[in-house]
Amino acid sequence: MKFELVDLKTPDALNEYCRRTLGKPQQRGSVMIYPCPFGTHARFKLQVTEYQGEGRFKCWVCDRSGDIFNLHAGINGFDTQRDFPGVLRGVCNVLGVRPPDDDGTPLPTRRRPVRPRSDPSMAAFLPEESPCFLSDLDEAELDACRERLQQDERLAGKLSSELGIHPLMMQIHTARELGRGLLGATPDNRLLYLYTAEDEEGNTRYTGAKLRRRDKHANPCLKLENGQWIPGGTMNPSSGNPHGIRFLWPIGKAAAPWGLDSAHGKRFVIITEGESDCLAVGQALECFREAYQQDVDPCTGRPYEDGRGSLEAVIPAVIAIPGASGFKTGWETPLAGKNVILALDADKAGREAAAKLRERLTAAGCIIRDWMPPYKDARNMLLCAGERALYESIFESMNAPAPMA
């Protein structure tokens, strides 16, 4: 296969590089899976997929990911920023591409990938407005909130107990490298749901934070301005919450579903109504790991064949929308073609939202299955029936026949 310099970031180039350096892949649908050069796992773990026109690799065990330059640098002990000229030449040598003439002309420095500009014909599928990223001061404070929860096990235990979620889920959702929806804690120890999106250079940045309202709290309506938390006033306990508002946005807003990055490379994606339901379903899906360890494919119920794929490719991703009507125009684009399970609430608002989402996601080429919890919502089912019952109920929906188009 012949490549030019301009082709180096394509999925074809990355797959060819992997074939020449890692060996023959195993194929799972459209995904190629290779032996991972970074760990000692016996099974093939490193998968190559396409993301916005670029080839990307990911090992779900080592948690290593990136493009062709990141892979070459990692294998050979280089730094993609400092050593990029050498990394570029190395990739060229592997692929048989003529490197830039070594005539003293400086080679380009390493930059993060710039996403291709949108085609005007895609305007109907783009978000209503571009993500509004927070200032450096506000970003730094939200990251401090994430680290506060990550480092304080006692606080994580207290907040998880309030939600009825296992403390481990709190820790999982404070690790940026896992690509899941992020959690944090305010200075007065209130749980924050942190929303992120990618900027044009591929950097994951904060777009907003969502806070559960506490009417009887001294400062029920916190705001974040210029990196500082500002009390939004007190509330007379006798007046209650006349407008029925359960959540507030101290800063910013959602520019993408909570935890959208976890859907990359997945066959199944579960959409929940609200972040706490996302946490509950994520906890229940740990039962998939038990099935995997017993050598049973959760998607078929049959034993795995030799050379099975990554555990993380088998387990569905779980993402959350801020509320029943919180799925914005353009959010269906990264889910196009996937198997999507709508796990919205069982109330009227949830059912109406599920019907609208089914229509939009079907138009985007998704295969839709609707799961209506036999309780109020997924978290309520976890609390009342346990994680195994929640898992089995969702698993039944995953294996139900796909609806006719």
Side-chain angles (χ1 to χ4, degrees):
M1 187 176 292
K2 186 177 180 180
F3 292 97
E4 302 293 338
L5 278 173
V6 293
D7 299 325
L8 292 184
K9 300 193 72 173
T10 63
D12 286 344
L14 179 54
N15 272 304
E16 186 64 20
Y17 178 93
C18 290
R19 287 187 186 97
R20 297 185 182 192
T21 57
L22 304 179
K24 186 178 178 181
Q26 296 171 352
Q27 187 168 356
R28 292 291 181 272
S30 62
V31 178
M32 298 294 179
I33 306 174
Y34 299 85
C36 176
F38 305 120
T40 59
H41 5 286
R43 300 178 186 135
F44 284 36
K45 295 293 183 181
L46 186 141
Q47 67 179 36
V48 171
T49 55
E50 180 178 348
Y51 182 64
Q52 297 188 354
E54 296 180 359
R56 308 288 292 181
F57 77 88
K58 174 75 175 182
C59 177
W60 296 99
V61 177
C62 295
D63 199 37
R64 299 285 289 266
S65 62
D67 60 14
I68 192 169
F69 302 115
N70 299 123
L71 182 57
H72 183 82
I75 291 173
N76 295 280
F78 293 132
D79 182 277
T80 52
Q81 300 287 336
R82 184 182 62 249
D83 307 321
F84 185 65
V87 172
L88 176 58
R89 283 198 177 93
V91 170
C92 289
N93 290 339
V94 171
L95 295 179
V97 177
R98 183 179 178 183
D101 294 335
D102 193 4
D103 58 359
T105 303
L107 288 172
T109 56
R110 171 66 168 149
R111 295 182 180 178
R112 291 184 178 271
V114 177
R115 305 304 178 198
R117 293 188 180 276
S118 303
D119 189 305
S121 64
M122 291 294 292
F125 299 99
L126 295 177
E128 295 171 342
E129 53 191 60
S130 300
C132 183
F133 298 109
L134 305 184
S135 69
D136 290 345
L137 284 174
D138 293 328
E139 286 223 6
E141 176 55 29
L142 289 186
D143 217 43
C145 292
R146 178 189 62 81
E147 291 178 354
R148 178 181 296 113
L149 183 60
Q150 186 179 52
Q151 296 169 8
D152 193 335
E153 293 184 6
R154 184 175 180 181
L155 175 60
K158 177 183 177 182
L159 293 176
S160 64
S161 178
E162 291 179 4
L163 290 177
I165 302 294
H166 194 283
L168 175 63
M169 298 305 296
M170 290 286 174
Q171 297 302 307
I172 289 175
H173 285 270
T174 56
R176 295 194 67 158
E177 63 273 12
L178 296 183
R180 304 197 188 193
L182 293 174
L183 296 172
T186 63
D188 61 355
N189 296 336
R190 296 161 68 181
L191 187 64
L192 276 173
Y193 300 106
L194 307 176
Y195 275 78
T196 61
E198 279 194 352
D199 64 15
E200 289 185 350
E201 296 184 348
N203 302 306
T204 299
R205 299 178 55 191
Y206 292 111
T207 66
K210 183 178 171 186
L211 179 68
R212 182 181 292 272
R213 182 173 186 145
R214 290 185 177 177
D215 289 347
K216 297 182 180 180
H217 196 277
N219 298 309
C221 305
L222 283 177
K223 292 182 180 180
L224 179 60
E225 295 180 3
N226 298 319
Q228 300 293 321
W229 290 97
I230 302 173
T234 59
M235 175 177 283
N236 183 350
S238 63
S239 65
N241 183 1
H243 302 293
I245 299 173
R246 290 191 299 158
F247 296 97
L248 304 166
W249 289 85
I251 190 169
K253 56 188 175 182
W258 194 65
L260 179 63
D261 286 350
S262 66
H264 177 55
K266 296 285 191 172
R267 288 182 294 172
F268 282 88
V269 178
I270 300 172
I271 300 178
T272 67
E273 181 185 332
E275 304 82 0
S276 61
D277 280 358
C278 185
L279 293 168
V281 172
Q283 180 172 324
L285 290 182
E286 290 299 311
C287 294
F288 270 87
R289 298 183 188 276
E290 296 177 13
Y292 186 89
Q293 290 166 357
Q294 296 168 7
D295 290 342
V296 177
D297 185 337
C299 292
T300 65
R302 298 192 299 269
Y304 281 100
E305 299 176 357
D306 291 340
R308 57 191 171 180
S310 159
L311 167 60
E312 295 301 335
V314 173
I315 298 177
V318 192
I319 66 176
I321 55 177
S325 59
F327 198 92
K328 299 180 182 179
T329 301
W331 285 12
E332 63 269 27
T333 303
L335 301 175
K338 295 184 182 293
N339 290 272
V340 176
I341 301 172
L342 301 177
L344 277 63
D345 293 0
D347 58 16
K348 181 180 178 181
R351 293 300 89 208
E352 290 176 350
K356 292 178 181 177
L357 270 182
R358 186 184 305 112
E359 208 172 290
R360 291 173 57 183
L361 291 170
T362 299
C366 297
I367 300 172
I368 306 300
R369 293 170 174 82
D370 194 1
W371 174 75
M372 185 172 73
Y375 292 80
K376 174 181 175 293
D377 53 32
R379 187 170 70 94
N380 188 252
M381 184 172 183
L382 177 72
L383 295 173
C384 296
E387 58 190 27
R388 186 76 193 184
L390 176 56
Y391 154 72
E392 290 176 347
S393 182
I394 294 175
F395 175 71
E396 184 178 349
S397 294
M398 284 182 62
N399 287 284
M404 299 296 292

